Amino acid sequence: SKLYIANRNGNGLVSSLKKITEESIYLFPGDYCVVTEDADNLKRSYLVKNSDAVLQLSSLPSLPDDKGTAVLIHVNGDVMDEVAYKDDWHFGLIDNDEGVALERIDPDAASQNKSNWHSAATSVGYGTPTYQNSQYKKRDDLHATVDVAPRIFSPDNDGRDDVATISYQVEEAGYVANVIIFDASGRPVRHLVKNDLLSRKGQWNWDGLGEKQAKLPVGTYIIFTEIFNLQGEKKSFKQTIVLARQLSEP
């Protein structure tokens, strides 16, 4: 991993960097993980739906309950995300916020916007480690569709299902798209589309090859499409497809 969690000291400088994990992990859109000092206590206190998504560190930066600054930083020094929180961001009618998670509502909205944070719901036990926040609500300003056909294709040049077609439609011009193909292990094998400026509708074709025209093995692949504009509206799609080939004649 090349990501660190940190805080800011009294001088406002990034401090107490802790590497999130020594292992390489893949997180796709819609995946979640939690970083903690005490995985056992976490499981006793909350419902943990995916134990494999719990990353235990020997220690974390100091992040007091009343106020603090949490920083997600890349190994090259780029700050990926940051929030300076306060305990008065909790729901005003909660008498005791001890053990109550402060949840981000919209992951695409501003991190430092107080109104984009809320106390976790009572119905989930005040926290949702390893799964979607109970207060999650995403802006759906971007209306777009992406379809993939066929879902099983065989790029063997026999004239039948030789390419996979990725069709899109957006409500207006001005959107940009990226399309990346991942294998079943989460490794990127082809960056099919890079910052394409879109029309109202269109399509791309994938010939089943990887980068530099490398022949890929048969199996399941993931087509990840991201559509966005300069106003910060964004929508992503993750669809599976099977690359197959006919068995050779004996």
Side-chain angles (χ1 to χ4, degrees):
S1 171
K2 297 182 179 180
L3 292 179
Y4 290 75
I5 187 170
N7 59 18
R8 288 193 182 272
N9 60 25
N11 296 321
L13 300 176
V14 173
S15 178
S16 304
L17 282 79
K18 305 291 182 181
K19 195 172 187 179
I20 289 180
T21 177
E22 295 293 338
E23 301 177 357
S24 295
I25 61 174
Y26 293 93
L27 286 176
F28 291 102
D31 291 345
Y32 300 88
C33 74
V34 60
V35 179
T36 180
E37 291 179 336
D38 191 339
D40 291 336
N41 183 60
L42 181 77
K43 294 172 184 177
R44 287 193 298 267
S45 303
Y46 305 97
L47 172 63
V48 175
K49 292 187 175 181
N50 181 9
S51 297
D52 293 336
V54 177
L55 305 179
Q56 180 166 304
L57 277 64
S58 58
S59 64
L60 286 171
S62 176
L63 297 168
D65 288 346
D66 57 344
K67 64 178 180 179
T69 301
V71 183
L72 184 66
I73 190 168
H74 192 269
V75 67
N76 64 11
D78 290 340
V79 173
M80 310 300 291
D81 205 354
E82 176 177 358
V83 60
Y85 61 88
K86 295 182 179 179
D87 58 0
D88 64 5
W89 288 14
H90 276 288
F91 182 51
L93 297 182
I94 290 182
D95 294 327
N96 182 6
D97 58 24
E98 184 69 26
V100 180
L102 187 61
E103 294 186 340
R104 189 170 181 166
I105 298 171
D106 183 351
D108 291 329
S111 302
Q112 201 52 50
N113 184 355
K114 176 182 177 180
S115 65
N116 194 38
W117 296 83
H118 199 282
S119 304
T122 306
S123 59
V124 297
Y126 298 112
T128 60
T130 73
Y131 60 106
Q132 188 179 85
N133 286 345
S134 62
Q135 304 293 356
Y136 172 89
K137 183 178 181 182
K138 191 172 176 64
R139 291 174 56 196
D140 196 21
D141 296 336
L142 198 168
H143 299 286
T145 59
V146 173
D147 294 305
V148 176
R151 287 306 179 99
I152 301 176
F153 78 120
S154 53
D156 50 17
N157 204 36
D158 66 352
R160 180 180 178 184
D161 295 336
D162 286 327
V163 298
T165 299
I166 305 159
S167 304
Y168 71 84
Q169 185 168 344
V170 294
E171 59 184 347
E172 59 186 9
Y175 289 101
V176 177
N178 288 303
V179 180
I180 304 175
I181 314 295
F182 294 87
D183 65 16
S185 298
R187 295 182 294 258
V189 296
R190 178 81 177 270
H191 203 144
L192 188 67
V193 174
K194 296 182 180 181
N195 294 329
D196 262 17
L197 183 61
L198 305 184
S199 57
R200 293 283 298 274
K201 60 181 179 179
Q203 64 185 41
W204 308 283
N205 291 323
W206 180 37
D207 55 11
L209 298 177
E211 296 293 346
K212 299 180 180 179
Q213 302 298 296
K215 185 177 180 180
L216 297 173
V218 298
T220 301
Y221 291 83
I222 299 165
I223 299 177
F224 173 64
T225 306
E226 181 185 54
I227 297 176
F228 61 95
N229 63 15
L230 296 180
Q231 286 70 50
E233 298 172 351
K234 181 170 62 175
K235 196 167 188 177
S236 58
F237 304 82
K238 184 170 65 172
Q239 292 149 314
T240 57
I241 189 170
V242 174
L243 190 159
R245 291 190 180 90
Q246 292 185 357
L247 295 176
S248 301
E249 294 292 336

